[in-house]
Amino acid sequence: MAKLKVGYIGLGVMGKAMARNILRSGFSLTVWNRTAAKADELLEFGAKWAESPAELAKAVDVVCVNVSDTSDVLDIVLGENGVIVGAHEGLIVIDHSTIKPAGSREIYERLKEVGVWSLDAPVSGGDIGAQQGTLTIMVGGDFDALEKVMPVLEAEGKKITHVGAPGAGQIAKAANQIMVAAQMVAEAELLIFAQKAGADPVKVIEAIKSGAAQCWTLDVKPSRLFAGNRKPGFKASLQAKDLAIVMETAREYLISLPGTAVAAQLFNGMVALGEGDLDNSAVIGMIERLSNETLETKA
Ligand code: NAP
């Protein structure tokens, strides 16, 4: 069977790396990004450029979208010159962005009316997972559509799970973000706690990272913080956006999330202080200020 023709919209930290892996797996790739220059590297590797999301949709079998927030995805898929304008029977749209479950359901319904399948397929695993093609992908939508695009998803990630109906992938991702935010805040607190109370935080991490505190965050983030690197990775503004999705959904279903509420306030504070473009692990800056202690950088 001929390989699917793939289109990719949104070439940020995640999208660019994931699109690169789709190319590496031998798919023909057409790309569009609001800031055109970010496509240069992929064009050098053989991707084609489309003038708009609508033009891209006309040219491919599968459209992957990977942009920031709910309104951005709605605009790209359903807006003027959006994917829906270039849609054709049998097209499948995969949205990898983290957005509100209600946004995914709206996209599913609107595209279904014009014979287009859509899947919400947010990811976890960070910039490193995107580069290495080892992402976890949580999928909501029709299983038949998922089966058709499985080879594309396998180029981007390692663990692909059909969670349920449209929007279920986003609910899984929001649940994931409850844990990720808690890890970031706990990491920040433990590093400042260890240092100010008199233990070398590098040694502390070495000692605890394979014990009961073991997690992705402790494997990846402390070495970046010790090197003085607080660049994304995963922007704090996106973490704040994800926690807003969590809290809004929790309010809708009357779920009490006291721990996540505290984390959400810390990330909102980062955005208010102009630190939204820093990595989510840079939430340590909030704990530093509250504790009057700065994490020392280590060679
Ligand atoms: P990013 O580096 O900030 O890139 C955002 C991308 O979205 C850029 O290509 C940007 O275009 C595009 N964009 C934003 N608003 C747009 C609009 N209104 N119209 C057209 N394009 C628009 O973000 P990222 O880290 O790749 O994250 C992308 C998505 O993946 C987000 O939903 C995020 O929550 C999720 N995610 C991120 C990570 C991570 O570790 N970074 C992990 C899991 C999930 P320009 O280039 O023109 O700005």
Side-chain angles (χ1 to χ4, degrees):
M1 199 175 85
K3 273 208 166 189
L4 295 165
K5 284 185 274 177
V6 182
Y8 216 103
I9 296 174
L11 305 173
V13 169
M14 298 299 282
K16 194 172 175 180
M18 291 159 73
R20 180 82 184 94
N21 286 334
I22 290 172
L23 259 183
R24 274 200 192 104
S25 297
F27 292 95
S28 84
L29 186 73
T30 305
V31 297
W32 181 83
N33 192 63
R34 180 177 58 184
T35 307
K38 287 193 193 164
D40 287 351
E41 213 179 303
L42 290 167
L43 299 183
E44 272 172 37
F45 287 121
K48 287 171 246 159
W49 175 254
E51 288 302 330
S52 67
E55 289 304 314
L56 178 139
K58 279 183 201 162
V60 300
D61 307 307
V62 180
V63 176
C64 298
V65 180
N66 204 334
V67 295
S68 306
D69 208 343
T70 311
S71 58
D72 308 315
V73 179
L74 289 174
D75 196 35
I76 280 167
V77 177
L78 304 176
E80 197 185 329
N81 264 330
V83 170
I84 197 165
V85 176
H88 51 86
E89 185 80 26
L91 180 72
I92 302 179
V93 175
I94 306 172
D95 179 24
H96 288 304
S97 326
T98 303
I99 67 169
K100 291 179 193 167
S104 298
R105 291 184 199 118
E106 181 182 344
I107 288 167
Y108 175 85
E109 293 300 338
R110 291 280 308 277
L111 290 181
K112 196 177 167 191
E113 286 166 12
V114 294
V116 172
W117 308 70
S118 83
L119 297 165
D120 46 300
V123 306
S124 179
D127 54 330
I128 295 174
Q131 284 154 26
Q132 297 180 344
T134 54
L135 291 168
T136 288
I137 309 181
M138 311 144 234
V139 187
D142 298 317
F143 187 70
D144 290 351
L146 172 58
E147 271 195 326
K148 286 198 170 71
V149 300
M150 196 54 106
V152 178
L153 296 179
E154 283 169 349
E156 300 173 296
K158 243 190 176 157
K159 171 92 178 148
I160 297 140
T161 309
H162 183 236
V163 184
Q170 296 297 352
I171 293 169
K173 172 67 188 189
N176 178 80
Q177 293 307 78
I178 293 175
M179 189 68 177
V180 169
Q183 284 181 13
M184 290 305 146
V185 175
E187 176 208 34
E189 290 185 357
L190 87 83
L191 287 171
I192 295 304
F193 173 83
Q195 181 178 292
K196 195 163 187 185
D200 178 352
V202 174
K203 293 266 166 54
V204 171
I205 294 297
E206 198 182 308
I208 70 170
K209 69 190 259 189
S210 50
Q214 182 181 24
C215 62
W216 182 89
T217 298
L218 287 193
D219 285 343
V220 173
K221 300 288 186 175
S223 57
R224 293 187 191 182
L225 291 173
F226 293 142
N229 176 5
R230 297 189 184 190
K231 295 206 185 97
F234 182 51
K235 286 178 191 155
S237 60
L238 293 176
Q239 181 77 77
K241 176 260 301 180
D242 291 356
L243 293 176
I245 293 170
V246 172
M247 297 314 291
E248 204 176 297
T249 308
R251 184 174 145 75
E252 192 184 335
Y253 289 89
L254 287 182
I255 303 162
S256 179
L257 303 175
T260 309
V262 171
Q265 296 311 311
L266 289 169
F267 284 102
N268 286 351
M270 283 186 76
V271 177
L273 289 166
E275 296 173 359
D277 281 343
L278 295 181
D279 190 55
N280 58 349
S281 65
V283 72
I284 195 170
M286 301 298 279
I287 308 302
E288 287 176 329
R289 275 166 280 195
L290 290 169
S291 308
N292 195 23
E293 176 78 7
T294 303
L295 186 74
E296 288 166 20
T297 51
K298 313 268 177 180

